[in-house]
Amino acid sequence: MAALTDLTLAGLKATMDKKEASAAEVAEAHLGKLEEHRALNAFITETPDRARDMAKASDARRARGEAGLLDGIPLAIKDLFCTEGVQTTAASHILEGFVPPYESTVTANLWKAGAVMVGKTNLDEFAMGSSNMTSYFGGVENPWKRRGDNRKLVPGGSSGGSAAAVAAYMVPGSTGTDTGGSIRQPAAFCGVVGLKPTYGRCSRWGVVAFASSLDQPGPFARTVEDSALLLQAMAGHDPKDSTSAPLAVPDFAAAARNPDIKGLRVGIPKEYRVDGTMPEIVALWDKGVEMLKAAGATPVEVSLPHTKYALPAYYIVAPAECSSNLARYDGVRFGLRVPGKDLIEMYQNTRGAGFGKEVRRRIMIGTYVLSAGYYDAYYRKAQQIRALIARDFRQAFEKCDVLLTPTAPTAAFAAGEKMDDPVTMYLNDMFTIPASMAGLPGISVPAGVDRDGLPLGLQLIGRAFDEETMLKAAAALEKAAAFSGRAAGY
């Protein structure tokens, strides 16, 4: 039998159902991987004792015939989800040592399904970044390396720790959050599947906020079916979140197991052919179109004319919301406190010492665009653009059922590259941001490698709350691409 850590989430579930391994054995195997690959810095907090206790409880449920959807499955949780009794930092000095007295809705749903937490993963500070290099706790290393080049590569961001943990076989699945591409882009960089659900599909309650109208929890896994199983457990209406959709949770796993896409119309947006995209990614995109066509789908060219405005509009809306959300970190109620001679100086000292450079940059941009005299010129205009982007997608979906695009314009880059130019860093999300601005579901599927042997992802975008069709198309793409890449040594 394959090593327990080599099995997919669905494979582990079947193995435990057949009593070929216990949840305790599965947990120990994955905890061993955490220790073996600690140098990747994928985790901020490891929780081995809690994992063993949860695995023991899982075995007891299974013995009683009460196993849940994810019983005994080890998961890594992005350190943006509040976990009762376990430190939650958002990778920021200002929250270091904060231990929530409550559980986020998404993680509570996962524990209800029987999942086992092995630790809290590293991320860009407050989810602000596309490299996972802005964390107060140090950058995360991508398990992949360029062929013949030993330089450390970034895993993408902000959910880089969660993506790296799955790519390094430390866990079969993990949680992330996606504001402008923070699940899909790291999934592409690390050669795994990353799924951003429709805005409102998963509750944001108990998730540290970055941009409230954009943030959406979602899963990482190594297969489309595994990501569907995770989404099934994570999703559901939550009365504690006013943006949570009061909809039943479909059988996402069944959709992912059905790659029959005969007659499906796949939209190819012409505006996504932009300068700066690696030629290999454009070639892979064209190959992806042919693969879906061979599987029975019909490619259709569509237009999303306001795509070119999505990136600048996003970098007005998201910083504006972040400047509002992060106002609560003042040194008074929780987290870091740096004394000063009076209250104002204490605020200044705490926020100056507690927030990193990228977070301070976005707070300043956001405060500027919301200030008197600039609100109409910037923030209101960005919201108008956002409405036009959403309209573009609605019109495109009159002609097609899903959209196929690249996930990112490049493969993973070396740590330190591009870091001195924030605008270049922001361009990493050029293909993922439009769907985020429209609140649509998107999934990145590993579909090939570049000349250096690094993974490349293709993105499928679905209609709002139609993750089932998107998952069916993603399963067909996964089957046709037959990506079996694995980072050397993992």
Side-chain angles (χ1 to χ4, degrees):
M1 190 178 82
L4 292 173
T5 52
D6 287 346
L7 297 176
T8 63
L9 190 153
L12 278 173
K13 185 172 158 59
T15 297
M16 287 186 281
D17 285 345
K18 289 186 284 190
K19 297 183 168 51
E20 292 175 358
S22 66
E25 290 169 332
V26 169
E28 287 301 334
H30 287 86
L31 289 171
K33 280 284 187 184
L34 262 68
E35 195 169 335
E36 183 183 347
H37 300 311
R38 199 168 281 149
L40 294 177
N41 200 33
F43 286 82
I44 291 173
T45 304
E46 295 179 17
T47 57
D49 292 340
R50 178 165 294 211
R52 292 182 179 105
D53 289 344
M54 293 173 91
K56 184 178 177 183
S58 174
D59 283 330
R61 283 192 298 273
R62 202 175 291 277
R64 297 193 301 267
E66 300 172 358
L69 180 66
L70 300 177
D71 239 299
I73 301 296
L75 297 180
I77 305 299
K78 184 177 183 178
D79 200 24
L80 208 62
F81 292 83
C82 287
T83 41
E84 185 178 359
V86 177
Q87 175 181 250
T88 300
T89 69
S92 180
H93 184 35
I94 209 161
L95 272 180
E96 188 176 13
F98 170 62
V99 178
Y102 55 88
E103 192 78 34
S104 79
T105 298
V106 163
T107 50
N109 288 347
L110 291 170
W111 311 150
K112 202 181 300 177
V116 170
M117 180 170 73
V118 298
K120 306 289 293 292
T121 54
N122 206 343
L123 62 143
D124 280 303
E125 185 181 6
F126 280 102
M128 297 178 199
S130 303
S131 64
N132 215 147
M133 292 290 117
T134 70
S135 170
Y136 174 73
F137 300 93
V140 174
E141 182 182 343
N142 192 326
W144 291 78
K145 291 277 197 297
R146 289 176 180 144
R147 198 177 287 125
D149 185 342
N150 211 35
R151 281 181 297 172
K152 293 180 180 179
L153 303 180
V154 303
S158 66
S159 310
S162 291
V166 173
Y169 288 72
M170 296 190 232
V171 283
S174 61
T175 67
T177 60
D178 194 307
T179 304
S182 290
I183 290 174
R184 291 161 288 162
Q185 186 248 22
F189 278 14
C190 291
V192 298
V193 176
L195 195 166
K196 173 211 173 289
T198 309
Y199 181 81
R201 176 67 83 181
C202 293
S203 171
R204 294 183 299 108
W205 194 85
V207 181
V208 178
F210 164 16
S212 300
S213 73
L214 293 158
D215 299 344
Q216 185 58 201
F220 289 95
R222 289 193 292 273
T223 70
V224 173
E225 181 187 355
D226 286 359
S227 69
L229 283 164
L230 285 167
L231 179 60
Q232 206 160 310
M234 295 167 68
H237 179 242
D238 179 9
K240 296 195 291 292
D241 175 4
S242 63
T243 63
S244 174
L247 298 173
V249 179
D251 190 343
F252 294 125
R257 295 186 191 110
N258 177 19
D260 181 3
I261 57 168
K262 288 183 178 63
L264 193 79
R265 298 168 302 165
V266 179
I268 314 300
K270 60 184 180 181
E271 290 82 4
Y272 278 50
R273 294 187 182 274
V274 295
D275 294 339
T277 306
M278 282 174 57
E280 290 156 289
I281 288 174
V282 176
L284 182 66
W285 185 18
D286 292 336
K287 184 180 175 185
V289 173
E290 292 306 314
M291 286 191 285
L292 292 179
K293 189 176 177 181
T298 303
V300 180
E301 185 179 79
V302 297
S303 179
L304 299 170
H306 293 92
T307 292
K308 62 184 176 182
Y309 303 116
L311 199 71
Y314 172 87
Y315 278 104
I316 291 172
V317 173
E321 294 185 14
C322 117
S323 75
S324 176
N325 277 324
L326 270 60
R328 71 193 69 175
Y329 304 105
D330 54 13
V332 176
R333 286 162 285 191
F334 42 74
L336 180 72
R337 177 181 296 181
V338 180
K341 68 177 186 290
D342 55 27
L343 185 65
I344 299 300
E345 188 175 277
M346 187 271 284
Y347 286 162
Q348 292 171 338
N349 292 348
T350 299
R351 290 168 68 81
F355 291 137
K357 185 177 178 181
E358 181 60 30
V359 174
R360 293 199 301 271
R361 177 187 290 119
R362 296 197 194 195
I363 289 172
M364 291 173 70
I365 293 170
T367 304
Y368 177 79
V369 301
L370 290 177
S371 61
Y374 297 101
Y375 181 92
D376 287 336
Y378 292 102
Y379 186 71
R380 189 185 300 278
K381 188 66 70 177
Q383 292 288 31
Q384 290 169 340
I385 291 291
R386 186 177 187 177
L388 293 174
I389 291 167
R391 188 183 69 182
D392 286 350
F393 277 107
R394 285 194 299 273
Q395 291 174 345
F397 280 121
E398 291 173 4
K399 300 178 181 177
C400 65
D401 303 301
V402 294
L403 297 166
L404 178 71
T405 79
T407 305
T410 68
F413 50 88
E417 285 180 3
K418 307 184 182 184
M419 298 296 293
D420 57 348
D421 183 357
V423 175
T424 302
M425 289 296 296
Y426 296 165
L427 289 170
N428 276 290
D429 299 327
M430 62 196 294
F431 296 132
T432 53
I433 277 174
S436 294
M437 293 291 274
L440 299 175
I443 186 169
S444 179
V445 179
V449 294
D450 70 1
R451 68 172 74 90
D452 295 318
L454 296 181
L456 302 173
L458 290 177
Q459 176 184 218
L460 285 153
I461 300 169
R463 293 187 180 94
F465 299 105
D466 187 17
E467 285 90 353
E468 290 168 282
T469 300
M470 183 183 76
L471 284 163
K472 188 183 291 190
L477 180 63
E478 178 182 58
K479 183 179 178 182
F483 180 85
S484 58
R486 183 167 178 169
Y490 296 91

